[in-house]
Amino acid sequence: MRIKLTLEYDGTAYAGWQRQQNALAVQQVVEEALARLTGEAVGVTGASRTDAGVHALGQVAHFDTHSPIPPEKFAFALNTMLPADVRVSSSGPAAPDFHARFSARGKRYRYLMYDATHASALYRGLCAHSIYPLDVDRMDREAACMVGTHDFSAFAASGSTVKDTVRTITRCQVVRRQPFVVLTVEGNGFLYNMVRILAGTLMGVGSGKLAPGAVARALETGDRLALGPTAPPQGLTLMEVFYP
Amino acid sequence: MRIKLTLEYDGTAYAGWQRQQNALAVQQVVEEALARLTGEAVGVTGASRTDAGVHALGQVAHFDTHSPIPPEKFAFALNTMLPADVRVSSSGPAAPDFHARFSARGKRYRYLMYDATHASALYRGLCAHSIYPLDVDRMDREAACMVGTHDFSAFAASGSTVKDTVRTITRCQVVRRQPFVVLTVEGNGFLYNMVRILAGTLMGVGSGKLAPGAVARALETGDRLALGPTAPPQGLTLMEVFYP
């Protein structure tokens, strides 16, 4: 039977979602907990290969099992075995053709920024620090240029080999929610590092280091150099994966 | 010259503010950074002796120094020496008779609760988990009974030797700010563990484990047993210390 999991994790201690040779990934931790629970060698497929240090409040994953454990009980059983920085927030039955990654129709990400002279001690694992004050209105206007169907090749990390760089962004906005400046971006797909390059660009525009219009210019020219630096991973959280 | 510091810290790794024999305290970390910076053996006095695991966004401290470093530059200089979980958010000159603890006229604390079937992975260091849903309106009505000048002896941790247990609470409210239920309490002083006993009591009332009216009964009878358990430290943050 196929089971769907919704997962929350603090990415600080992990080399991302995907299993790695020489570093601990969230996928490995979940697969090991499932193996202990079911006695099966279970492969777990995640919707998003979140990067090292990136968090998730709504990662989705699926796996197949012959275990008699009721689908909705996997969350409780797994949480007794998982470390405190990984939680299963819900579990349930999935259709046999449900695929966490390929069935997904879109995702929502959040990026938290913190603008103050000194970095935050308490929230340091959740946000990127800007020593310059951020102009949220200017950032939100810049963010709005992302919305629509565009070739986002300028937003692809260098070395990326993905061929189709056209994506549709349905929501991209910046608001101040003390003590953070919050970027919310939603779309049908994202290139590797796309949200972090966007966050770095918006922090550049918001602090006056980058001229407004950078996003539009980059979409026109495909030039990565028109954009700001890649913002650090700890500000990024995968919030939700959408399914039909 | 006397210097006033405002400090932020993540209390997770610390045995509280006050220097301990066999455990690391925030006071020690700040004093050691100051010693390296000034070459003096500097004693730092904090406004609040926050407990092990309790956080601060607005702890205040003072110290005396002969250092030629301009008062407002101490924040920058100390932050280059402090670990990332302790930050000085501002520094400045203080009057010779300013005392972080004895000059304080009041404090504001925040307690974060998280009500969901499963604990939070990402926010686990910031909040207390309630597996039962919390009725925020009921909690807020209960919290309102704290406001005023009362003998809070029922709220004193057992073993406490403080004589005067009368305090004035000027604000006590509970609101939902997703993903948290937030208790804010402000007053001219707090007994040891008072806010955490209050938080545990409100979580009890909010989840239906304790009958409403527990606070009023405890204030009347002085009976600690009328109240809920002491809530865990990680939900508590010292937000601000007030001075005339």
Side-chain angles (χ1 to χ4, degrees):
Chain A
M1 139 154 252
R2 185 154 288 195
I3 307 286
K4 178 186 175 189
L5 301 177
T6 306
L7 290 142
E8 176 181 347
Y9 47 85
D10 175 347
T12 308
Y14 296 98
W17 166 261
Q18 197 167 34
R19 202 180 250 274
Q20 305 280 322
Q21 281 292 344
N22 300 307
L24 188 65
V26 180
Q27 184 184 24
Q28 180 183 342
V29 167
V30 176
E31 287 177 349
E32 286 173 0
L34 269 173
R36 270 184 293 156
L37 188 63
T38 63
E40 302 166 343
V42 184
V44 175
T45 302
S48 171
R49 289 170 294 188
T50 57
D51 232 358
V54 170
H55 313 300
L57 288 171
Q59 171 74 294
V60 174
H62 78 265
F63 63 93
D64 295 316
T65 181
H66 297 289
S67 165
I69 299 171
E72 62 285 356
K73 294 295 182 197
F74 270 98
F76 296 89
L78 283 169
N79 284 339
T80 65
M81 302 198 163
L82 287 166
D85 55 3
V86 179
R87 292 288 97 180
V88 180
S89 41
S90 71
S91 61
D97 63 344
F98 173 80
H99 190 285
R101 187 161 166 221
F102 299 131
S103 305
R105 287 294 163 265
K107 298 187 189 92
R108 186 172 81 253
Y109 285 94
R110 173 185 82 182
Y111 198 98
L112 298 182
M113 308 156 194
Y114 178 86
D115 60 338
T117 309
H118 303 285
S120 172
L122 187 52
Y123 304 121
R124 71 193 183 289
L126 286 173
C127 56
H129 179 218
S130 170
I131 59 170
Y132 306 104
L134 296 175
D135 181 330
V136 171
D137 289 339
R138 198 192 288 169
M139 293 168 78
D140 188 46
R141 283 194 299 273
E142 188 74 20
C145 302
M146 293 287 288
V147 174
T149 300
H150 304 287
D151 180 344
F152 286 100
S153 54
F155 284 86
S158 57
S160 165
T161 54
V162 65
K163 273 175 193 155
D164 181 8
T165 50
V166 174
R167 298 289 184 277
T168 299
I169 298 297
T170 47
R171 179 180 171 200
C172 191
Q173 61 185 190
V174 179
V175 295
R176 191 177 286 275
R177 290 274 179 275
Q178 286 298 357
F180 303 114
V181 171
V182 186
L183 163 65
T184 300
V185 56
E186 197 175 294
N188 69 347
F190 294 87
L191 305 176
Y192 180 66
N193 269 357
M194 180 169 158
V195 182
R196 288 168 56 192
I197 294 171
L198 171 64
T201 301
L202 293 175
M203 288 170 81
V205 169
S207 64
K209 300 265 149 189
L210 259 180
V215 166
R217 282 191 302 278
L219 291 179
E220 220 176 271
T221 61
D223 184 7
R224 169 71 183 85
L225 297 178
L227 299 168
T230 304
Q234 77 274 7
L236 186 60
T237 301
L238 170 62
M239 299 300 283
E240 195 175 351
V241 184
F242 303 111
Y243 295 96
Chain B
M1 143 154 247
R2 185 153 287 195
I3 307 286
K4 177 186 176 189
L5 301 177
T6 306
L7 290 141
E8 176 182 347
Y9 47 85
D10 175 348
T12 308
Y14 297 97
W17 166 260
Q18 197 167 34
R19 203 180 250 274
Q20 305 282 323
Q21 283 290 344
N22 300 309
L24 189 64
V26 180
Q27 183 183 24
Q28 181 183 340
V29 167
V30 176
E31 287 177 349
E32 286 174 0
L34 269 173
R36 270 185 291 156
L37 188 63
T38 63
E40 302 167 342
V42 184
V44 175
T45 302
S48 171
R49 289 169 294 188
T50 57
D51 233 358
V54 170
H55 313 300
L57 287 170
Q59 171 74 295
V60 174
H62 78 265
F63 63 94
D64 294 315
T65 181
H66 298 290
S67 165
I69 298 171
E72 63 284 356
K73 295 295 181 195
F74 271 98
F76 296 88
L78 283 168
N79 284 338
T80 65
M81 302 197 162
L82 287 165
D85 55 4
V86 180
R87 293 287 97 179
V88 180
S89 42
S90 70
S91 62
D97 64 344
F98 171 82
H99 190 285
R101 186 161 167 221
F102 299 131
S103 305
R105 287 296 163 263
K107 299 189 189 89
R108 186 172 81 252
Y109 285 95
R110 173 185 81 181
Y111 198 96
L112 297 183
M113 307 157 194
Y114 178 87
D115 61 339
T117 309
H118 303 284
S120 173
L122 187 53
Y123 304 122
R124 72 194 182 290
L126 286 173
C127 56
H129 179 218
S130 171
I131 59 169
Y132 306 105
L134 296 174
D135 180 329
V136 170
D137 289 339
R138 197 193 290 169
M139 293 167 78
D140 189 46
R141 283 195 298 274
E142 188 74 20
C145 302
M146 294 287 287
V147 174
T149 300
H150 304 288
D151 180 344
F152 287 99
S153 53
F155 285 87
S158 58
S160 166
T161 55
V162 66
K163 273 173 193 157
D164 181 8
T165 50
V166 174
R167 298 288 184 278
T168 299
I169 298 297
T170 47
R171 179 182 173 197
C172 191
Q173 62 184 189
V174 179
V175 295
R176 191 176 287 276
R177 289 273 179 277
Q178 287 296 359
F180 303 114
V181 171
V182 186
L183 162 66
T184 300
V185 55
E186 197 174 294
N188 70 347
F190 295 86
L191 306 176
Y192 179 67
N193 270 357
M194 180 169 160
V195 183
R196 288 169 55 191
I197 294 171
L198 171 64
T201 302
L202 294 176
M203 287 170 81
V205 169
S207 65
K209 300 264 148 190
L210 260 181
V215 166
R217 283 192 301 278
L219 291 179
E220 220 175 89
T221 62
D223 183 8
R224 169 70 182 86
L225 297 178
L227 298 169
T230 305
Q234 76 274 7
L236 185 58
T237 301
L238 171 61
M239 299 300 282
E240 194 175 350
V241 184
F242 304 110
Y243 295 96

